[in-house]
Amino acid sequence: MYEEASNSNLLMLLNTAVYPFLVAAVITLLGKFSRHLSLLGLAAGFLVALSLIHSGLNLPPSKALDFLTISVLLGLLISYFRQAKIGFKARNSITFVALFVSFYCLLNPVLKHQGQLLSFAWAAISALLVLFVFGLQKHTSDVKNSHAAMTSLAIIAGTTAPVVSIGGSLLIGQLLGGFAASVVGFVLIQKFIVKQSSLPGLLLGSFILSGLLAQAHILADLPLWTMLIAYFALLTNILSNLLIKEDGSVWSTVLSIIPQTVISVAIAGLSLWSIWPESSLY
């Protein structure tokens, strides 16, 4: 019995952390040949986690979690599109539409029973919130402090994962862990080997992270405030970017993400305390 549990834990660790990290890191290395290819590492890392963790993955999508593949593809497409020389309004309008479609696909399989209007409202409000926070992060970040901005997504995903796992859905919790591992693999290669900005991955990461947190609320019925304050902890990183500018050194990067880490851990602790089962887990 103990051997089976140990094997199960090892498999969960491999699927949630090791494989997504390795795939993201290896494919991000393509950025050495073309900076546009590095984004594929982040996308591939999470898609590997999704296929390993969500064993019932259907293509074409049919269930809510299946549509995470659409979120990844849309995020990847719009991330490349935003690098083209187009106007500010056109760029943000198209990004909003893509986010709207992403959220609608992720949430409608559950919300459609309450009417399409609710699905549209959720998708529109969620898209606006993500676009707003992404805009702030993008505005307060530059090439030098891009790695801290991207790392903040991994911090939030990593600290929120146990809350979601215990409070509502082990599956979504594992996916948050897989996403965090993919981001870490992407950022480490971008910073130390490819030596390029991580900012191009910020929008793709926002597509995935915000989608997972929205599903944690709708599918797993976690409190809305828990998911919102977890995501808005990104504002801490924005303030850090304004006060502590990276100079390219490892120390400055670590220093800039300390406030984000402390606040995210505190939020996770408060959230765990509020949703912890009254009876023993055992």
Side-chain angles (χ1 to χ4, degrees):
M1 180 179 67
Y2 294 112
E3 185 177 351
E4 289 179 1
S6 176
N7 290 337
S8 177
N9 291 335
L10 176 61
L11 184 62
M12 183 182 297
L13 176 64
L14 290 172
N15 293 345
T16 303
V18 178
Y19 293 146
F21 172 86
L22 290 176
V23 169
V26 170
I27 297 182
T28 302
L29 282 171
L30 293 174
K32 288 290 264 184
F33 305 100
S34 172
R35 64 185 182 89
H36 298 295
L37 294 177
S38 58
L39 265 182
L40 296 176
L42 178 58
F46 179 73
L47 288 176
V48 164
L50 179 62
S51 63
L52 292 173
I53 295 168
H54 179 35
S55 56
L57 182 65
N58 297 300
L59 293 173
S62 60
K63 299 177 181 178
L65 286 176
D66 298 338
F67 284 98
L68 284 166
T69 55
I70 302 298
S71 296
V72 174
L73 294 176
L74 279 172
L76 195 60
L77 181 64
I78 299 302
S79 295
Y80 284 130
F81 181 81
R82 288 181 66 94
Q83 295 177 32
K85 293 181 179 180
I86 57 175
F88 175 80
K89 290 184 179 179
R91 186 165 61 242
N92 284 331
S93 296
I94 294 172
T95 303
F96 170 78
V97 171
L99 283 165
F100 176 88
V101 172
S102 175
F103 279 112
Y104 178 82
C105 290
L106 291 171
L107 304 178
N108 186 58
V110 176
L111 294 176
K112 65 182 179 182
H113 303 297
Q114 302 177 44
Q116 288 295 327
L117 183 60
L118 186 61
S119 294
F120 287 139
W122 260 100
I125 293 171
S126 299
L128 284 172
L129 286 174
V130 173
L131 190 59
F132 172 72
V133 176
F134 166 74
L136 285 177
Q137 274 205 296
K138 187 80 172 178
H139 180 71
T140 57
S141 301
D142 53 31
V143 173
K144 289 184 177 179
N145 64 1
S146 66
H147 306 296
M150 193 67 196
T151 303
S152 66
L153 299 181
I155 293 170
I156 288 179
T159 53
T160 308
V163 179
V164 175
S165 298
I166 293 173
S169 172
L170 178 60
L171 192 61
I172 298 177
Q174 286 181 270
L175 288 173
L176 283 164
F179 170 72
S182 301
V183 172
V184 171
F186 172 77
V187 171
L188 288 177
I189 298 300
Q190 285 289 88
K191 181 173 178 64
F192 295 109
I193 299 180
V194 179
K195 296 182 180 179
Q196 292 176 359
S197 168
S198 293
L199 282 182
L202 200 57
L203 183 58
L204 173 58
S206 296
F207 265 80
I208 301 171
L209 176 60
S210 58
L212 286 169
L213 294 180
Q215 285 196 324
H217 170 60
I218 299 297
L219 274 67
D221 200 28
L222 264 77
L224 178 60
W225 69 268
T226 301
M227 299 299 94
L228 280 177
I229 61 173
Y231 187 74
F232 277 101
L234 287 169
L235 295 176
T236 309
N237 178 255
I238 293 169
L239 293 174
S240 295
N241 287 342
L242 293 172
L243 298 173
I244 306 170
K245 289 295 183 181
E246 287 187 65
D247 56 14
S249 67
V250 176
W251 169 246
S252 67
T253 302
V254 172
L255 188 63
S256 64
I257 64 176
I258 286 177
Q260 173 84 48
T261 305
V262 171
I263 290 180
S264 295
V265 169
I267 290 172
L270 177 63
S271 299
L272 273 175
W273 176 79
S274 67
I275 55 92
W276 194 268
E278 293 184 7
S279 57
S280 172
L281 292 176
Y282 302 97

